[in-house]
Amino acid sequence: MIKMFSATSKNIKTAVNQLKSGNIIVYPTDTLYGFGVDASNESAIINLNRLKERVQPLSILLSNVNEIDKYADLDDCSRTKIFNLLPGPYTVLLKSKNNPKISKLVQAGSHLIGIRVINLDFCNEVIQRLGNPIITTSVNRHKMPSLSSIKEIKKEFPDIDIFYTQDSIKSSGSTIIDFSLKKEKVIRLGEGDY
């Protein structure tokens, strides 16, 4: 049976416990609602891929920009640009570092890691208390549009607990920028200007 929780400080512990138990949750971001699991939990990632009906590289959500160095290589030029963008509606692609706090399944064989940092206290507190990054990926099945309303999400994914801020979030998603190249490249233009 689906459970609904407001994405507020009183429900942070519940979200953390769900993630520690290997469960998938739905949570708000600064763009769309996202599916989340503990990025270190292989079985949770396998279940998430099964739910989304695909295996592709996934992005991680960090609680603040100073964490990026633990997961990716950053040169000074990229660091300045990225720190000016984040927190915000961007996903940055960087060359990854090995870090035991994320499963190899996150990158699905890619040498790049997608990283988001958003300005949302609920998410940032959940990540800090969990002690690991969480996966951030749109709420949908492969090749289907991202679901933006709680009503649609409940209908399509009736067994996933939802942490919500509003009934519907209208967004074109995050802007994805590849900073692993000599000159960064916009892969997808979303909410973030670039």
Side-chain angles (χ1 to χ4, degrees):
M1 180 68 189
I2 195 166
K3 292 191 197 127
M4 301 275 296
F5 303 93
S6 58
T8 56
S9 56
K10 69 176 185 177
N11 290 317
I12 287 166
K13 188 176 178 187
T14 304
V16 171
N17 288 341
Q18 288 285 38
L19 294 165
K20 280 184 175 174
S21 299
N23 295 322
I24 301 166
I25 64 168
V26 169
Y27 64 93
T29 73
D30 56 357
T31 53
L32 295 158
Y33 278 105
F35 278 135
V37 296
D38 178 344
S40 71
N41 187 321
E42 297 215 335
S43 63
I45 294 168
I46 289 167
N47 289 337
L48 177 58
N49 285 333
R50 196 174 289 139
L51 187 71
K52 283 185 69 87
E53 298 173 355
R54 59 105 165 117
V55 176
Q56 286 176 351
L58 296 159
S59 296
I60 58 172
L61 187 62
L62 303 179
S63 62
N64 83 60
V65 291
N66 297 316
E67 299 276 296
I68 295 174
D69 280 304
K70 296 177 184 175
Y71 303 95
D73 289 321
L74 265 181
D75 61 41
D76 289 341
C77 181
S78 294
R79 180 189 308 279
T80 301
K81 289 175 181 175
I82 289 168
F83 278 42
N84 282 331
L85 294 174
L86 299 176
Y90 299 88
T91 300
V92 296
L93 301 177
L94 291 159
K95 284 183 182 151
S96 72
K97 287 180 179 173
N98 277 336
N99 188 307
K101 288 197 170 187
I102 61 166
S103 160
K104 297 239 183 295
L105 298 179
V106 171
Q107 291 164 249
S110 173
H111 69 289
L112 302 180
I113 181 80
I115 294 174
R116 293 208 68 202
V117 181
I118 64 174
N119 193 14
L120 204 63
D121 290 344
F122 176 79
C123 293
N124 295 337
E125 187 70 27
V126 165
I127 294 162
Q128 285 168 17
R129 289 214 204 162
L130 181 66
N132 291 324
I134 60 174
I135 297 297
T136 183
T137 184
S138 54
V139 178
N140 63 340
R141 298 190 199 277
H142 189 47
K143 295 190 175 172
M144 298 300 287
S146 300
L147 300 179
S148 58
S149 87
I150 293 298
K151 190 176 176 184
E152 291 172 331
I153 294 168
K154 279 165 66 176
K155 186 177 174 189
E156 187 67 24
F157 301 103
D159 301 321
I160 308 292
D161 286 357
I162 297 172
F163 295 82
Y164 68 96
T165 47
Q166 54 202 44
D167 291 339
S168 185
I169 300 178
K170 296 292 181 210
S171 171
S172 54
S174 64
T175 292
I176 303 173
I177 307 170
D178 188 344
F179 279 96
S180 71
L181 309 166
K182 245 179 198 153
K183 170 69 179 152
E184 71 274 9
K185 181 180 177 186
V186 175
I187 306 298
R188 180 185 77 191
L189 201 55
E191 292 296 324
D193 294 330
Y194 200 77

